[in-house]
Amino acid sequence: MPSSYMAAALDEAHSALGTTSPNPAVGAVVVVNDEIIACGRTQPVGGPHAEVMALRAAGIRARGADLYSTLEPCVHQGRTPPCVDALISAGVRSVTYAVRDPYPKVDGRGHTQLEAAGVVVHAGDGQAESRELLAGYLKYQQTGLPLVAMKYASSLDGRIAAASGDSKWISGPEALLWSHNERIKLDAIVVGSETVITDDPELTARPGNPAGPVDPTVQQPLRVVVDSRGRIPSTARVLQGLSPTLIATSAASNESWRRDIAATGAEIMVFDTREGVDKALHVDLTALIEECGRRGMLEVLFEGGSALLGSLFDQRLIDRVYAIVSPIIVGAVDAPAPVAGIGAFRMANAVPVRDLTITQLGHDTLFTGQPDWEIAARDNQSEAR
């Protein structure tokens, strides 16, 4: 468990999620005589980092104080000056950070330079919690790709809609509120064309009030629609409002359709394709995720439909699963399941989900975990023998 000071820094970091990419969401607090006197969080790109914000709030009281940060302070000149220089100039007595920054221009150098200047440095307080919070940033530093999550809501018998296709609403108001509160932490929300045609979602973040209007002060994630053949209408709600939208399509879509969509203000991007389980050509999802990485995104959420989620699973592109299960039974042999695709031919081929956490959202239950692709691959190899 993190110390109470690091827990406060983690709260600050949580508040910055979704607003800092490609920079990490970091929180910091300044402590004097066992009391937190100032807090700070990373500002949007080009703005100060968490440590500098906390030092500014502390003012002259920072001299001789202890600072807690969720990430190793930076030592390089980027869009802002090095945080290490600010900490040394402020005269802090000690710095405690949770996780070493893997960015090549930092990677232990912040720790070393602070110690060389006579600052007492501690590492590891709240490491597990900070690594979880920074999972997108850490993956981005290792691979240049964002963390890829998927979310769905299903009935107790594993259906995402009734036989008619009606899916409003499987989950309750508490789950909807959770979803909108999570959206502000994302860089992009991705859905397939079938979801747009069937549900006509707006895909905006309305934290605190999902039924209300979009708050213009809330930073919105990029809305992405995967539409390989050009099916969604130009009147779709995902193309309306001030929130940015990207349509990921292929050469199979009609040029006049692309012009109509572009006229709404949406960005059109034509991707290479790969053959799907239906033998048709679809947008290459690996290429789409790589594009998200090139744009500096740290976390991307795919919300469906089932064909899109199935393709992601078949290609082992998912890092995190959010499954909301509602205590209802749909039945109906024709009712769709949340994840389609090729899937597992035998139970031995099913993908285990590890580090599972369970959260109650009103009457619904949220399961959060990570697909264990390593075990899945090992099981498949064993069966092949």
Side-chain angles (χ1 to χ4, degrees):
M1 291 290 292
S3 67
S4 60
Y5 308 129
M6 189 61 75
L10 285 162
D11 286 343
E12 288 292 317
H14 273 287
S15 299
L17 282 171
T19 67
T20 65
S21 300
N23 292 336
V26 179
V29 299
V30 178
V31 178
V32 174
N33 296 328
D34 298 328
E35 178 187 355
I36 296 174
I37 65 164
C39 303
R41 68 188 69 157
T42 306
Q43 299 301 294
V45 173
H49 294 182
E51 298 92 331
V52 172
M53 293 296 293
L55 291 174
R56 287 180 181 178
I60 60 172
R61 298 181 69 191
R63 186 160 297 278
D66 305 308
L67 182 134
Y68 289 74
S69 177
T70 56
L71 187 67
E72 178 186 9
C74 70
V75 72
H76 63 291
Q77 175 70 51
R79 293 185 177 93
T80 60
C83 290
V84 163
D85 290 355
L87 291 163
I88 294 170
S89 296
V92 299
R93 178 179 64 178
S94 73
V95 170
T96 299
Y97 66 88
V99 175
R100 180 168 173 162
D101 190 344
Y103 183 55
K105 292 184 178 180
V106 185
D107 200 15
R109 293 179 179 86
H111 185 128
T112 300
Q113 288 199 20
L114 285 168
E115 284 190 329
V119 179
V120 177
V121 183
H122 304 284
D125 181 10
Q127 180 175 343
E129 292 80 4
S130 189
R131 289 190 67 84
E132 173 67 18
L133 186 147
L134 291 169
Y137 173 73
L138 297 176
K139 181 187 176 185
Y140 180 79
Q141 288 302 322
Q142 294 167 349
T143 66
L145 302 173
L147 183 143
V148 178
M150 61 176 277
K151 180 182 79 70
Y152 64 81
S154 76
S155 62
L156 201 58
D157 60 333
R159 307 296 187 181
I160 59 172
S164 66
D166 173 40
S167 60
K168 295 184 178 179
W169 294 100
I170 287 180
S171 53
E174 293 87 355
L176 184 62
L177 178 61
W178 174 85
S179 294
H180 277 270
N181 289 342
E182 286 297 305
R183 282 180 177 182
I184 62 174
K185 304 174 184 178
L186 303 170
D187 294 302
I189 302 174
V190 189
V191 297
S193 57
E194 188 63 32
T195 296
V196 172
I197 292 168
T198 302
D199 296 338
D200 196 21
E202 190 176 356
L203 294 185
T204 51
R206 284 158 281 159
N209 185 15
V214 175
D215 183 346
T217 66
V218 172
Q219 183 167 316
Q220 296 291 326
L222 177 68
R223 304 179 290 187
V224 182
V225 180
V226 181
D227 189 351
S228 302
R229 294 183 291 279
R231 303 173 61 221
I232 70 168
S234 58
T235 56
R237 294 174 67 212
V238 74
L239 301 171
Q240 300 172 12
L242 299 177
S243 301
T245 303
L246 168 68
I247 307 300
T249 190
S250 73
S253 63
N254 188 280
E255 286 191 19
S256 64
W257 172 84
R258 285 183 231 158
R259 286 194 297 269
D260 289 343
I261 297 297
T264 69
E267 179 185 358
I268 299 283
M269 191 165 184
V270 178
F271 286 85
D272 290 338
T273 57
R274 61 181 295 163
E275 187 176 272
V277 65
D278 59 358
K279 304 302 181 183
L281 294 177
H282 299 272
V283 166
D284 185 336
L285 297 177
T286 297
L288 173 58
I289 293 168
E290 289 172 346
E291 175 62 24
C292 291
R294 280 191 288 272
R295 295 178 182 226
M297 296 183 184
L298 301 183
E299 184 165 349
V300 175
L301 177 68
F302 285 77
E303 286 201 352
S306 60
L308 181 63
L309 298 185
S311 294
L312 289 164
F313 246 85
D314 287 342
Q315 297 173 53
R316 301 188 173 187
L317 298 175
I318 293 292
D319 301 305
R320 183 178 293 167
V321 175
Y322 298 109
I324 297 172
V325 179
S326 181
I328 58 174
I329 301 293
V330 173
V333 67
D334 294 328
V339 181
I342 297 171
F345 183 68
R346 294 183 176 87
M347 290 307 298
N349 304 132
V351 180
V353 178
R354 59 181 175 84
D355 300 333
L356 196 67
T357 62
I358 301 173
T359 307
Q360 206 63 36
L361 301 174
H363 294 300
D364 303 318
T365 305
L366 168 67
F367 296 86
T368 304
Q370 303 174 48
D372 197 326
W373 299 117
E374 184 177 338
I375 288 181
R378 194 160 60 236
D379 289 347
N380 288 341
Q381 288 170 1
S382 297
E383 181 161 309
R385 294 193 192 101

